[in-house]
Coordinates of all heavy atoms in Angstrom, one line a residue:
A195 N -27.9 6.7 -36.1 CA -26.5 6.1 -36.2 C -26.2 5.7 -37.6 O -27.1 5.6 -38.4 CB -26.5 4.9 -35.2
A196 N -25.0 5.3 -37.8 CA -24.6 4.7 -39.1 C -25.3 3.4 -39.2 O -25.1 2.5 -38.4 CB -23.1 4.5 -39.2
N197 N -26.2 3.2 -40.2 CA -27.0 2.1 -40.3 C -26.5 1.0 -41.3 O -25.6 1.3 -42.1 CB -28.5 2.5 -40.7 CG -29.2 3.0 -39.5 OD1 -28.7 3.0 -38.4 ND2 -30.4 3.5 -39.7
H198 N -27.3 0.0 -41.4 CA -26.9 -1.2 -42.3 C -26.9 -0.8 -43.8 O -26.3 -1.5 -44.6 CB -27.8 -2.4 -42.0 CG -29.3 -2.0 -42.2 ND1 -29.9 -2.3 -43.3 CD2 -30.1 -1.4 -41.4 CE1 -31.2 -1.9 -43.2 NE2 -31.3 -1.3 -42.0
C199 N -27.6 0.3 -44.1 CA -27.6 0.8 -45.5 C -26.2 1.3 -45.9 O -25.9 1.2 -47.1 CB -28.7 1.9 -45.7 SG -28.7 3.1 -44.3
C200 N -25.4 1.7 -45.0 CA -24.2 2.4 -45.4 C -22.9 1.9 -44.6 O -21.8 2.0 -45.1 CB -24.3 3.9 -45.0 SG -25.6 4.8 -45.9
Y201 N -23.1 1.4 -43.5 CA -22.0 1.2 -42.6 C -21.2 -0.1 -42.9 O -21.6 -1.2 -42.4 CB -22.5 1.2 -41.1 CG -21.4 1.1 -40.1 CD1 -20.0 1.2 -40.4 CD2 -21.7 1.0 -38.7 CE1 -19.0 1.2 -39.4 CE2 -20.7 1.0 -37.7 CZ -19.4 1.0 -38.1 OH -18.4 1.0 -37.1
F257 N -33.3 7.0 -38.9 CA -32.3 7.8 -39.5 C -31.0 7.2 -39.5 O -30.5 6.6 -38.5 CB -32.2 9.2 -38.8 CG -33.3 10.1 -39.0 CD1 -34.2 10.3 -38.0 CD2 -33.5 10.7 -40.3 CE1 -35.3 11.2 -38.2 CE2 -34.6 11.6 -40.5 CZ -35.5 11.8 -39.5
C258 N -30.3 7.3 -40.7 CA -28.9 6.9 -40.8 C -28.0 8.2 -40.9 O -28.3 9.1 -41.7 CB -28.7 6.1 -42.1 SG -27.0 5.8 -42.5
T259 N -27.1 8.3 -40.0 CA -26.2 9.5 -39.9 C -25.4 9.7 -41.2 O -25.1 10.8 -41.5 CB -25.3 9.4 -38.7 OG1 -24.7 8.1 -38.6 CG2 -26.1 9.7 -37.4
M260 N -25.1 8.5 -41.8 CA -24.2 8.6 -43.0 C -25.1 9.1 -44.2 O -24.6 9.9 -45.1 CB -23.6 7.3 -43.3 CG -22.6 6.9 -42.3 SD -21.8 5.2 -42.6 CE -20.8 5.6 -44.0
D261 N -26.3 8.7 -44.3 CA -27.2 9.1 -45.4 C -27.7 10.6 -45.1 O -27.8 11.4 -46.1 CB -28.5 8.3 -45.3 CG -28.4 7.0 -46.1 OD1 -27.6 7.0 -47.0 OD2 -29.0 6.0 -45.6
R262 N -27.9 10.9 -43.9 CA -28.5 12.2 -43.5 C -27.4 13.1 -42.9 O -27.6 13.6 -41.8 CB -29.7 12.1 -42.7 CG -30.9 11.4 -43.3 CD -31.3 12.0 -44.7 NE -31.5 13.5 -44.6 CZ -32.7 14.0 -44.4 NH1 -33.8 13.2 -44.2 NH2 -32.9 15.3 -44.3
Q271 N -18.4 10.0 -42.9 CA -18.6 10.8 -44.1 C -17.7 12.1 -44.1 O -17.3 12.6 -45.1 CB -20.1 11.3 -44.2 CG -21.1 10.3 -44.4 CD -21.1 9.8 -45.8 OE1 -20.1 9.9 -46.6 NE2 -22.2 9.2 -46.3
Ligands
ZN1 ZN1 -27.4 4.8 -44.6

Side-chain angles (χ1 to χ4, degrees):
N197 282 356
H198 56 100
C199 41
C200 298
Y201 186 8
F257 288 106
C258 169
T259 47
M260 293 178 72
D261 279 327
R262 296 307 306 270
Q271 295 285 24

